[in-house]
Amino acid sequence: MTTSEVWGRQQAERYDANQAGMYAPEVLNPTVDFLADLAGTGAALEFAIGTGRVGVALTGRGVPVTGIELSGPMVAQLRQKVGEAELPVIIGDMATTTIDGEFALVYLVFNTISNLRTQAEQVECFRNAARHLSPGGRFVIELWVPPIRRLAPGQQIVAMDVSDGHASFDTYDLVTQQCISHHYDRDAEGTIRYGSGGFRYVWPSECDLMAMVAGLELESRYADWRRSPFTSESDSHVSVWRKPA
Ligand SMILES: C[S@@+](CC[C@H](N)C(=O)[O-])C[C@H]1O[C@@H](n2cnc3c(N)ncnc32)[C@H](O)[C@@H]1O
């Protein structure tokens, strides 16, 4: 039983339109370049493949991709783009679902390790990645650095976006490392729709410890897919751990 929220049909149907910015070539191309480079001539496994934003593009680059995804409706959207034979997906929890075969690359992008809301499940997710890697293979994560430096003293709320048609706020529990993102969307008629999502935020150093528990070694950490240096000002990281050969 996972603590992840299971994304429903409405969320799935809106996902690609809502995330249009994540499909922009300047965002997606460096992601796919980076992953294709690490996969080399091997196969890749995407945890939480969703509607196939990255997986479909990586398949198009000649990398055999398999996915694990919790939400049936998200996979239904992916299936409108690509068939089962070209990109197989297993419905299940990325922390515990296993599939046959060994992979040169396992990857988990767009902050999604945080959708597992306990430390134990996040550790299991690292272990599951390690389990599917061939010796010398890599596990790659793209993850935000928790922006709690932006919390005013005594406050638990950070404004993430206040723009035309959308406002979002994150609320933090600093004891349990839980975060809830609250989104308010206003449509053309002025109707406001509210949605929220719960996460467990995790620091890069805690990721390294989880990787160590899973028998993986940190190989590199960048601020983004273009391999910019990761610094104390970086608000996100792309990290690569390697399974010893
Ligand atoms: C932000 S979307 C990312 C989808 C895709 N990787 C992308 O980059 O567009 C998060 C996805 O994670 C999936 N997810 C959340 N928890 C999961 C879990 N425990 N196991 C597998 N998939 C999960 C959700 O159903 C959703 O499709």
Side-chain angles (χ1 to χ4, degrees):
M1 186 69 183
T2 178
T3 57
S4 285
E5 292 160 7
V6 182
W7 294 30
R9 190 172 58 83
Q10 278 194 345
Q11 251 177 314
E13 285 173 357
R14 289 195 199 114
Y15 182 82
D16 284 351
N18 285 349
Q19 300 302 337
M22 293 297 285
Y23 280 87
E26 61 272 24
V27 175
L28 193 50
N29 290 350
T31 309
V32 175
D33 288 346
F34 188 104
L35 295 171
D37 187 34
L38 286 190
T41 56
L45 173 62
E46 180 168 355
F47 283 174
I49 192 167
T51 63
R53 182 180 66 90
V54 176
V56 171
L58 193 57
T59 303
R61 294 282 292 272
V63 177
V65 178
T66 300
I68 295 178
E69 166 59 46
L70 191 60
S71 160
M74 290 293 274
V75 178
Q77 296 297 312
L78 179 147
R79 282 284 160 259
Q80 293 182 15
K81 305 171 189 171
V82 66
E84 173 75 27
E86 205 177 337
L87 202 173
V89 178
I90 289 89
I91 303 273
D93 172 19
M94 61 189 171
T96 55
T97 302
T98 56
I99 60 170
D100 290 341
E102 279 194 339
F103 297 86
L105 173 70
V106 178
Y107 64 95
L108 174 56
V109 299
F110 205 178
N111 308 320
T112 305
I113 184 95
S114 290
N115 289 47
L116 296 166
R117 291 185 290 168
T118 68
Q119 187 185 55
E121 286 175 294
Q122 291 178 347
V123 169
E124 276 315 304
C125 185
F126 272 82
R127 282 205 172 109
N128 203 27
R131 192 174 290 139
H132 287 93
L133 285 173
S134 51
R138 271 96 169 197
F139 182 38
V140 176
I141 273 188
E142 175 193 31
L143 181 62
W144 51 304
V145 176
I148 60 177
R149 278 199 306 185
R150 290 164 55 186
L151 280 176
Q155 296 297 308
Q156 297 171 329
I157 304 171
V158 174
M160 299 302 287
D161 176 42
V162 181
S163 54
D164 195 32
H166 179 250
S168 66
F169 306 91
D170 285 356
T171 53
Y172 287 87
D173 182 327
L174 299 183
V175 174
T176 59
Q177 289 185 213
Q178 299 297 311
C179 166
I180 299 175
S181 288
H182 307 263
H183 294 270
Y184 300 83
D185 290 288
R186 183 166 50 79
D187 65 19
E189 286 76 45
T191 305
I192 291 175
R193 201 177 57 232
Y194 171 76
S196 67
F199 308 96
R200 177 178 188 271
Y201 66 83
V202 50
W203 300 99
S205 56
E206 192 182 358
C207 289
D208 291 340
L209 194 57
M210 292 183 189
M212 210 184 293
V213 168
L216 302 174
E217 296 166 351
L218 181 66
E219 183 174 75
S220 48
R221 169 162 294 132
Y222 305 103
D224 56 40
W225 296 105
R226 291 188 166 81
R227 296 184 169 80
S228 305
F230 180 77
T231 72
S232 60
E233 298 305 313
S234 301
D235 56 15
S236 192
H237 61 104
V238 173
S239 297
V240 182
W241 296 274
R242 191 164 180 271
K243 183 168 175 167

